[in-house]
Amino acid sequence: MPSNKDDGGWKKFLWDSEKGELLGRTGGSWFKIIAFYIVFYGCLAGIFIGTIQALLLTVSNYKPTWQDRVAPPGLSHTPRSEKSEVFYNRNDPETYLPYTKALRNFLAKYGEELQRDQMKFEDCGVDPAEYKNRGDLESDIGIRKACRFSRSLMGPCSGTEDPDFGFKDGTPCLIVKLNRVVNFLPKPPSSNESIPEEAQPKVQPNVVPIYCTNKREEDAGKIGEIKYYGIGAGFPLQYYPYYGKLLHPHYLQPLVALQFTNLTMNTDLRIECKVFGDNIMYSDKDRYQGRFDVKFSITSL
Amino acid sequence: IGFYGRSDSYRVATTQDKDDRSPKKKKGAKEKEMDDLKKEVPITEHKMSIEEVCRKYQTDIVQGLTNAKAAEYLIRDGPNALTPPPTTPEWIKFCRQLFGGFSVLLWTGAILCFLAYAIQAATEDDPAGDNLYLGIVLTAVVVITGCFSYFQEAKSSKIMESFKNMVPQQALVIREGEKVQINAEEVVGGDLVEVKGGDRIPADIRVVSAHGCKVDNSSLTGESEPQSRSPDCTHDNPLETRNLAFFSTNCVEGTARGIVICTGDRTVMGRIATLTSGLETGKTPIAKEIEHFIHIITGVAVFLGLTFFILAIILGYSWLEAVIFLIGIIVANVPEGLLATVTVCLTLTAKRMAKKNCLVKNLEAVETLGSTSTICSDKTGTLTQNRMTVAHMWFDNQIHEADTTEDQSGASFDKSSVTWLSLARVAALCNRAQFKAGQDQLPILKRDVAGDASESALLKCIELSCGAVRAMRDKNKKVAEIPFNSTNKYQLSVHETEDLNDNRYLLVMKGAPERILDRCSTILIQGKEQPMDEELKESFQNAYMELGGLGERVLGFCHVMMPEDQYPKGFAFDTDDVNFQTDNLCFVGLMSMIDPPRAAVPDAVGKCRSAGIKVIMVTGDHPITAKAIAKGVGIISEGNETVEDIAARLNIPVSQVNPRDAKACVIHGTDLKDLSQDQMDDILRNHTEIVFARTSPQQKLIIVEGCQRLGAIVAVTGDGVNDSPALKKADIGVAMGISGSDVSKQAADMILLDDNFASIVTGVEEGRLIFDNLKKSIAYTLTSNIPEITPFLLFIIVNIPLPLGTITILCIDLGTDMVPAISLAYEAAESDIMKRQPRNPFRDKLVNERLISIAYGQIGMIQALGGFFAYFVILAENGFLPTQLVGIRLNWDDRSVNDLEDSYGQQWTYEQRKIVEFTCHTAFFVSIVVVQWADVIVCKTRRNSVFQQGMRNKILIFGLFEETALAAFLSYCPGMDVALRMYPLKPSWWFCAFPYSFLIFVYDEVRKLLIRRNPGGWVERETYY
């Protein structure tokens, strides 16, 4: 009867000593249902793992099935920062330490001493050159050699002479790379039409140019000169294509170092950098696809 | 009758009564008042002399009240109208919909969303709009489903509006010696009122003079016959005495004058109405079930939500993130569309039932009939045709059966006998009833008759078997007539004969059989007059007893051709001072009448019984009649005996019979009042076939409460005002659409448009079907909860990119799942649902642990795997292999990381990988649609194979296409990437979940096969929901 249910019903549900029931089931009943679920989930896990294995069989080791989302590549920079802002106080090393540390860490793998192994690396020249084809992805050549890219190419931004990467002097460096995409061949611009006038001098053969300028009209003239370091001050074609992690484990992607030599202090400056190429696209939503913008705010007080 | 005797102690003077009702009431007074109302009527005026009554009300028997006095009383007592039952204001009803059920949980989610957004807005320059957006969507979901339920409910309650009769009643009162027609609302106590045939009685009145006045008390007491009114007190019980006429009953014929003794809510009718509206009705069974289910789901949601909130904090997530997880878990756990689905399913059933003449006022009542285990049915009008019909005749020393069916399909008797012709002639001539004009094209049984019930029955019977009664009456002109009165107990008339050459007069007489027999010296047998001998007298007695024992009202008929020498043509018959022969007549025969059962009722009662429903008859009528009808319709089934029957058969006193031997019992209202609660329970528990006769409205209520105390779900049918308290108290009250009074319709949850008990069976069937189908619908809807929750849990625990977002969850719950879930309401029954016992409300829950086990533990898990497989396929094909995903979340969701490496060494910007993530959400969503295809097919049946059940449910097939089309639309429609962050899928990704969909189908078919193969086995005990 329902009236008896209220008093002690809960306790009785937890442990019913008369029937030997725990939570409404006897031990045997619990055993059966638990055993059932173990077997059931075991089978499900087996089936799931089976289908995942089948999936792995269908994907290539060298190249993902689809690349329409990762290409055209993004343009990323080091040091990266929250909300793409770089702000620090020249006179307080604590404020720019994270930036310099990130740059040092990033450039560490570009150290010349790491690129000496002739089996793994080869020289691809210090001038921009044609694409360097190392055979098809699927061919059985195996691991491909990587082009050397020494950090010394970064000039003052290499960190060897100036461990502060210019941050201390108010001339901060930013290292820019074009995101890696397997088998992707960036095409230099074939005409000058889509390129802003100031950037046109940067167009040269066998290099994907990069050009930075003020994002906002009102910042015009406050940016000062920007120096570009790297092979051809852009992304040289001999570093492409990339053969993927498996075939190209030592690959070093080409870098461009930007040094802002004459930034106006104590103000917010928005700088936009863009790479130009026939197969480089920009997106309204993705602020890092083929371009990025960064806000500098350096105090010198 | 006797029950009213109990009221002695409550019989306080009305003045004192009025003091009790002083406007200032304390708390608890209300409860006392309810108890008071359950007791009997405190009227004493019928026992006072007219002078005393006049004195009490300071009125005058000739002049009536003075206008000043009337005005004073009107101010003191208020208008003579029933206080309408308190109605819940619309906005409260709306709020109830807005904050009931899952709404509270969703509101919490929405508020958390806004809170999270506020925190983000306060701490960041450029906050992401996600939370604001989700908060708005959640709010919209709650408001829209709330509005939807509200309008559904408003629509069904609007049905009642049509029944309201707003025509103001008029009353003829005498004030200051002048007759004035006033609004019935202005009538006050002490008013002298006059009523005539056809009027509605304006208030409770003490009759001071009457001329052939008859009132129809059926709406008050259930007695179908009009009763005469006179100034004399004939009974202590106010309801039985002749000198009171009651508010809102009808005066059928004659005129009467009386003094108003009670008005408005203080009238007998008013007390019943107040009692009715004051009764608290419990929740409907389905409401309890849904509440139970909401508790389970809310419990799971809160438990999971809080667990993961705490876990998230422990794992080092920020408060904001933990709150966002909490929102996600709540949204995933709550089946947002389910309550709307349930409402739609109930509405569809209600519509289907309305087509079968069951009009449902309260949506939830749709299911109640299905779980009903006891039906307390009123007799008159529900089980019977509510029309006196000649059932038997006795002539030529033999009982003949007349056809009582509604469509005259029954057997007929030998009409060739001369005696029959004579009997028919007497019945036709000695009869004041006549058809109302202008109904010649109607079938005889449908025609309206002016006259009392017995005479109408005779008229119709003769018209049916012998042709036009009017022609017969025209040929035999009436020359004199003595109407029926209670002292003579007969009615006679004198007619000319048809034969123009025969100048004799024909005297015809009918009346109480024993009185008629006393006046007869001969009897007509086979057309020949024979002297009445002892043998024939005994045979008459036997026939009379037998017909009386059938609960029929028996009338005797006799005639005589008056000798021409004594009564020549033109003889002046004096009916006041009878100057002609009224004895030594020739007995012709007996005719007996009953209100016969409806044709479909015995079958319906049989179906109820095989469906495990106990049918109890509760009537105000006499026990003998009640028992006869109960036997006739199978409420007392053949071969079952009452205690009295056993006693009679064994020839022993009733007290020696073991009551346990008798399955059936007939209980008189008088006995009922002496029963203790235990005895009452004992009767209800130990007798399967029960008839309550001579019950008062209050007793009906006690019977219903008794059944409910034993755990039964009780349906009550009734049409009169006297039934309305029981209708209200019942789990489901069923009122009659044609004969029902407004008050009863007001109190009921369901209205039988054709007044036919058989329609209830349809209702039971539909109710049971919808309960089964709701289970299926809920099982279907709940299953998709698991693939909605698991992504969140894995996201938190193993730090993979989120596989399914909150918006996509809402798209499933409120989009693709809706139509298939609703379509399950159209599913045909798997087996004969009318052959099983009604569900036990304590044990057979709508949602039980087995349903949860199947939906959450088994099918849901397979579905989740299907979704995850699609998710892994998309990420792997884009470069992120499964092994790399674990732990990637921190970088994945970091906006500043724009060079995240995948398994191939490629680098992804934030936005690029987010698009892939949202594509995964879309694919997960599509996969759920794909696995839900199998689920809806699997949920079609609980025991049978789909191959046995077939795919005849067209709505379900439509639902399959609809959800697929909707999923495709959401994925491919341009602009969806902005609106819902859903992206187009590669065609191959649609097929990821196919194996899992197939697995669900096979798994469940095997499970059901095992259930069918091993009835009562482990599989059934653990998984049959």
Side-chain angles (χ1 to χ4, degrees), chain A residues 18-234:
Chain A
E18 275 172 48
K19 297 181 192 160
E21 285 177 351
L22 180 72
L23 296 170
R25 285 175 181 277
T26 60
S29 167
W30 273 115
F31 174 77
K32 276 189 196 166
I33 193 79
I34 290 171
F36 164 75
Y37 270 108
I38 289 174
V39 171
F40 179 74
Y41 288 145
C43 292
L44 280 191
I47 292 170
F48 187 67
I49 290 167
T51 50
I52 291 288
Q53 290 302 327
L55 158 72
L56 293 180
L57 288 179
T58 63
V59 288
S60 150
N61 285 332
Y62 311 116
K63 184 176 177 259
T65 318
W66 309 102
Q67 288 184 302
D68 50 347
R69 293 296 182 202
V70 70
L75 188 67
S76 53
H77 60 84
T78 311
R80 58 174 173 236
S81 55
E82 286 298 314
K83 291 168 221 146
S84 53
E85 280 175 277
V86 176
F87 62 104
Y88 68 94
N89 189 335
R90 270 177 71 177
N91 305 323
D92 182 2
E94 283 292 313
T95 57
Y96 59 77
L97 195 67
Y99 301 122
T100 51
K101 198 177 163 201
L103 281 168
R104 257 193 303 280
N105 286 342
F106 180 74
L107 285 177
K109 56 180 176 286
Y110 284 86
E112 277 161 27
E113 64 283 0
L114 297 175
Q115 303 175 25
R116 291 206 179 105
D117 190 337
Q118 291 295 337
M119 294 306 294
K120 293 174 183 165
F121 295 95
E122 61 182 338
D123 276 325
C124 301
V126 287
D127 293 315
E130 282 288 321
Y131 299 120
K132 196 159 186 86
N133 196 326
R134 294 180 169 92
D136 277 347
L137 264 180
E138 307 288 339
S139 66
D140 40 339
I141 301 171
I143 290 176
R144 321 292 157 96
K145 283 183 180 169
C147 290
R148 289 196 177 89
F149 192 94
S150 165
R151 64 191 285 177
S152 58
L153 287 165
M154 302 289 96
C157 293
S158 64
T160 39
E161 289 134 42
D162 177 8
D164 292 325
F165 296 94
F167 277 77
K168 192 180 176 189
D169 308 322
T171 57
C173 284
L174 218 51
I175 294 184
V176 181
K177 63 183 184 295
L178 198 57
N179 278 352
R180 291 195 296 249
V181 174
V182 172
N183 237 3
F184 179 77
L185 299 172
K187 288 201 187 87
S190 49
S191 71
N192 287 343
E193 279 163 27
S194 57
I195 301 170
E197 219 167 293
E198 315 88 71
Q200 280 176 12
K202 303 206 64 173
V203 178
Q204 36 178 310
N206 292 334
V207 85
V208 176
I210 176 166
Y211 177 71
C212 298
T213 183
N214 52 311
K215 170 98 172 162
R216 300 179 299 192
E217 293 279 316
E218 62 262 37
D219 290 341
K222 295 180 184 171
I223 307 287
E225 195 199 350
I226 301 169
K227 285 188 175 156
Y228 301 84
Y229 300 99
I231 299 174

Side-chain angles (χ1 to χ4, degrees), chain B residues 185 274 304 376 404 454 472 507 561 585 666 668 676 697 761 801 938:
Chain B
E185 284 196 1
T274 319
L304 272 182
C376 291
T404 54
S454 318
M472 205 191 290
L507 184 146
M561 294 301 278
L585 309 175
V666 179
H668 197 283
S676 69
V761 178
V938 149

Side-chain angles (χ1 to χ4, degrees), chain B residues 396-435:
Chain B
D396 291 345
N397 202 3
Q398 209 180 339
I399 291 179
H400 299 266
E401 205 169 309
D403 185 3
T404 54
T405 55
E406 289 136 301
D407 50 0
Q408 289 298 301
S409 57
S412 191
F413 56 94
D414 177 26
K415 286 175 185 163
S416 58
S417 169
V418 184
T419 321
W420 160 244
L421 290 178
S422 300
L423 183 59
R425 188 173 61 184
V426 178
L429 296 180
C430 188
N431 189 333
R432 291 164 53 144
Q434 58 191 43
F435 290 113

Side-chain angles (χ1 to χ4, degrees), chain A residues 25 37 41 48 51 60 64-70 72 80-81 177 179-180 182 245 253 286 288, chain B residues 853 857-858 865 869 877 896 898-899 901 903-907 909 911-912 915 986 989 996 1003 1022:
Chain A
R25 285 175 181 277
Y37 270 108
Y41 288 145
F48 187 67
T51 50
S60 150
T65 318
W66 309 102
Q67 288 184 302
D68 50 347
R69 293 296 182 202
V70 70
R80 58 174 173 236
S81 55
K177 63 183 184 295
N179 278 352
R180 291 195 296 249
V182 172
K245 207 176 185 176
Q253 64 201 111
D286 191 350
Y288 282 88
Chain B
S853 171
Q858 295 159 42
L865 291 186
F869 181 60
E877 293 193 345
S896 67
N898 282 292
D899 52 358
E901 270 187 44
S903 307
Y904 295 91
Q906 304 187 103
Q907 291 166 322
T909 69
E911 197 58 35
Q912 283 171 340
I915 289 178
K986 314 260 179 225
W989 293 338
Y996 291 91
Y1003 173 74
E1022 292 294 349

